[in-house]
Each structure stands twice: as C-alpha cells, then as structure tokens.
C-alpha cells in the first residue's frame, strides 16, 4: 500500500499540470483565470449585443411573407458576423472552463479564494446555467464532466475535490430510467454515457468502491448490448466498442483497488482485446498504467 501511495503521488505530479511545473504562483494561476473569465464575458456580451440587434431589426419584418422574413434573417446573420462571434464565445468558454477546473484542483483549500472558485465551478453545472430538459443542458453537463475526467484519471487527486466532482456528475433520473429499462430487458436508443462513466471514476477516487462498481456494471450491460462484437466493425459499433473498452478498463481499476486481482486481470485482458487496432486515449492509458502497477505490486 505504501508503494502505491508513492506511485499515486508521482503519477499525480507528472500528469497533472501543477503550479510548480508551469512556474506559476497561486496568484499567477488565479490571474490567468481572471483573464480568461474576462475574455469569455466579453465574447459573450458581443454575441448578446449582436443577437439583440438582429432581433430588433427582425421586428420590421413582421408584416412580410414568411419566406422573405427567413431570407432577411439569414442575410442578417451572415452580414453581422454572428458565426464568428458564436465560435469565439465557444472557444473562450472552453478555455475558461478548463482553467477554472484546473484552478479548483490545484488551489489549496486554505486559500482565501478557494470557496469562491468552488462556488463559481458549481455555477457551471447545467442546473444553474441552462434550461432543463434541453439539448444545451445535456451538452453542458457532458462538457463539464469531460473537464473533470482529465483530473480524475490521476490517482493523487484530493478526495474532497473528487467528491465535489462526483456530486456534479451524479446520474439523474433519465439515466436511471434507461438503466432500469435495460435491467428488465427493454432495449432503448443508446444515449451518451460519458457522464455516468466519469461519475464512476469520481466515486472510486472518493473510496466508494461499491457505488463505482454498481454504476460500471450498468454501463457494461448497456454497451455490451450494442457493441456487436460478433459482427464486422462499422462506424456505429466501433464507437460503442471503444466505450465498452473504457468501461472494462475502469472496471479493472475498480477491482484492483478493491483488492480483487483476479477480477481486475480478467477485465483488463477483456478490454485490451476490444478494438485492438485503435489505440486508447491518453486518459485511458493512465488508467491502464495505474491498474498494471497495482497488479504488479499485488503479486509481490
């Protein structure tokens, strides 16, 4: 166990861009976040002003035929530079959100601005910034979870911060209902399971092994149904196969952390046999390295 703790700390320092590695003081890190927040706010305001101006202009078309109104609307969108403003807002938000998550992970909890940063991150959850039951809500939740995942693959992440990530990625009613339908044998259109998968890793980092295993079992059950391993590879089943591989790699890590080396070896082997021609992501490689290290230690 002591060797694993040392390994965890080493991996954490090597894989997570720390303040020291980038020669950033806490003030510099917070300063970068403030700058990126300002850039995003400015881009958002520019886009909002553009959209208000177009809506005001569109009021003059109320009496025109529908096809003319649509043509005028498309012309205003093109001439106003809306697309460039929209893309800039999206880009600056992605940069800001990445920095916000990194700052939360890197900032000592004793720092005077820690609670402020935590509250700001909580505000990015779609419950607090998007309309419910919309595509934008789901997209925002997925984006937030993916930012968390970059840090959750590092075994040295602080448990309290991982617990916060688990809170923000906990599966909602829609996912639970889908899991229930699969459990009773009713097939439904496969959804994006990123959030549920990232939640399992967050729960594992907190030490909630049974919760992580339970959610992982549901993911493997769903992905196995649609992966069609006995059929030729195509675009659809390849995507699901890669997801199934990721879930089994997570399962291997869950089992080895729980001290079940035989099960961990089984899931690791099964995962590596899926889509062997396609290399796992860098994040999954970290999961593989961590699992193999623990298996090596357990056999000594």
């Amino acid at each position: 166990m002591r060797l694993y703790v040392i390994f965890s700390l080493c991996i954490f320092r090597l894989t997570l861009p720390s303040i020291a590695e980038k020669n950033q003081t806490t003030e510099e890190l917070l300063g970068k976040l403030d700058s990126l927040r300002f850039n995003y706010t400015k881009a958002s305001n520019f886009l909002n002003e553009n959209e208000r101006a177009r809506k005001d202009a569109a009021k003059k078309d109320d009496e025109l035929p529908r096809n003319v109104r649509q043509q005028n609307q498309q012309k205003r969108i093109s001439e106003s530079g809306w697309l460039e403003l929209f893309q800039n807002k999206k880009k600056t938000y992605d940069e800001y959100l990445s920095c916000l998550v990194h700052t939360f992970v890197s900032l000592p909890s004793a720092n005077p601005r820690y609670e402020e940063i935590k509250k700001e991150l909580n505000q990015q959850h779609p419950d607090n910034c998007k309309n419910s039951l919309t595509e934008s809500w789901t997209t925002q939740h997925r984006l937030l979870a993916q930012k968390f995942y970059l840090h959750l693959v590092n075994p040295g992440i602080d448990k309290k911060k991982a617990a916060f990530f688990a809170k923000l990625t906990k599966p909602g009613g829609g996912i639970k209902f889908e899991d229930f339908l699969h459990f009773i044998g009713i097939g439904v259109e496969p959804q994006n399971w990123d959030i549920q998968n990232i939640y399992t890793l967050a729960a594992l980092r907190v030490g909630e092994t049974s919760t992580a295993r339970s959610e992982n079992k549901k993911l493997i059950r769903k992905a196995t149904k649609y992966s069609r391993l006995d059929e030729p590879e195509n675009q659809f089943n390849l995507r699901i196969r890669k997801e199934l591989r990721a879930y089994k790699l997570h399962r291997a890590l869950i089992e080895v952390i729980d001290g079940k080396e035989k099960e961990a070896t089984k899931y690791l082997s099964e995962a590596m046999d899926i889509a062997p021609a396609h290399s796992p992501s860098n994040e999954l490689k970290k999961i593989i390295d961590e699992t193999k290290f623990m298996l090596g230690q357990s056999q000594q």
Side-chain angles (χ1 to χ4, degrees):
M1 178 59 69
R2 184 178 178 183
L3 286 174
Y4 177 60
V5 171
I6 294 174
F7 164 78
S8 299
L9 292 174
C10 290
I11 290 295
F12 180 64
R13 288 169 181 164
L14 287 172
T15 56
L16 178 62
S18 67
I19 296 174
E21 288 171 334
K22 291 195 172 185
N23 295 319
Q24 288 181 311
T25 64
T26 299
E27 291 72 21
E28 288 171 336
L29 185 63
L30 290 169
K32 180 180 179 181
L33 175 61
D34 292 339
S35 177
L36 291 173
R37 185 191 304 109
F38 175 81
N39 291 342
Y40 164 64
T41 302
K42 183 170 66 173
S44 181
N45 289 339
F46 280 150
L47 182 62
N48 290 339
E49 290 174 7
N50 179 282
E51 291 178 341
R52 279 196 298 268
R54 286 190 297 102
K55 286 182 180 179
D56 290 341
K59 293 178 181 179
K60 301 176 182 179
D61 294 348
D62 287 346
E63 303 301 324
L64 297 176
R66 180 179 179 183
N67 65 318
V68 177
R69 293 201 308 269
Q70 291 176 338
Q71 291 174 1
N72 289 347
Q73 181 183 20
Q74 291 300 321
K75 183 178 180 181
R76 280 190 290 267
I77 289 175
S78 176
E79 293 179 349
S80 68
W82 176 87
L83 180 59
E84 292 79 5
L85 292 173
F86 174 79
Q87 291 174 335
N88 189 47
K89 177 185 175 181
K90 184 177 180 181
K91 175 178 177 292
T92 55
Y93 180 72
D94 188 78
E95 293 171 344
Y96 155 69
L97 185 60
S98 294
C99 186
L100 177 60
V101 174
H102 173 58
T103 301
F104 172 73
V105 172
S106 303
L107 202 64
S109 56
N111 186 281
R113 291 189 61 185
Y114 176 77
E115 289 300 327
E116 170 197 332
I117 298 300
K118 182 179 180 181
K119 183 178 180 180
E120 183 177 352
L121 181 55
N122 184 64
Q123 190 61 33
Q124 307 312 307
H125 189 279
D127 279 350
N128 302 317
C129 63
K130 298 293 181 181
N131 294 325
S132 60
L133 302 177
T134 61
E135 184 177 349
S136 63
W137 191 101
T138 302
T139 300
Q140 176 68 15
H141 202 191
R142 186 184 308 134
L143 176 63
L144 188 63
Q146 288 169 346
K147 300 298 183 184
F148 296 163
Y149 189 60
L150 299 176
H151 298 271
L152 287 168
V153 294
N154 299 310
I157 188 171
D158 181 270
K159 282 190 175 183
K160 290 184 177 179
K161 295 176 180 179
F164 186 61
F165 288 168
K167 175 184 176 182
L168 296 185
T169 56
K170 189 172 183 179
I175 293 177
K176 291 180 180 179
F177 183 62
E178 181 189 25
D179 288 334
F180 171 74
L181 292 178
H182 275 275
F183 179 74
I184 62 176
I186 299 177
V188 294
E189 186 71 20
Q191 305 297 312
N192 187 295
W193 303 314
D194 285 354
I195 297 167
Q196 189 175 14
N197 185 43
I198 293 167
Y199 172 72
T200 66
L201 187 55
L204 181 64
R205 296 306 187 195
V206 176
E208 298 177 357
T209 310
S210 59
T211 298
R213 183 184 289 110
S214 175
E215 293 298 324
N216 178 268
K217 283 182 179 179
K218 299 170 187 175
L219 286 164
I220 289 179
R221 181 186 301 121
K222 290 185 288 191
T224 299
K225 179 179 178 62
Y226 294 104
S227 59
R228 299 170 183 170
L229 295 175
D230 58 340
E231 297 181 8
E233 184 179 290
N234 57 46
Q235 186 175 359
F236 172 78
N237 64 34
L238 175 60
R239 178 178 65 83
I240 302 295
R241 287 175 189 182
K242 287 182 178 179
E243 291 180 4
L244 179 59
R245 176 174 63 183
Y247 306 152
K248 291 201 172 190
L249 288 173
H250 278 213
R251 183 62 172 276
L253 182 61
I254 292 168
E255 299 300 349
V256 74
I257 286 180
D258 200 29
K260 299 180 179 180
E261 295 85 7
K262 183 177 180 179
E263 289 84 350
T265 301
K266 168 181 170 289
Y267 280 104
L268 179 61
S269 176
E270 289 179 357
M272 300 310 291
D273 285 340
I274 299 174
H278 303 273
S279 179
S281 66
N282 290 333
E283 289 73 33
L284 283 177
K285 287 177 181 177
K286 294 177 183 178
I287 297 293
I288 294 170
D289 289 345
E290 183 181 356
T291 303
K292 287 183 175 179
F293 178 87
M294 292 195 68
L295 284 172
Q297 290 301 318
S298 67
Q299 293 168 4
Q300 291 184 4

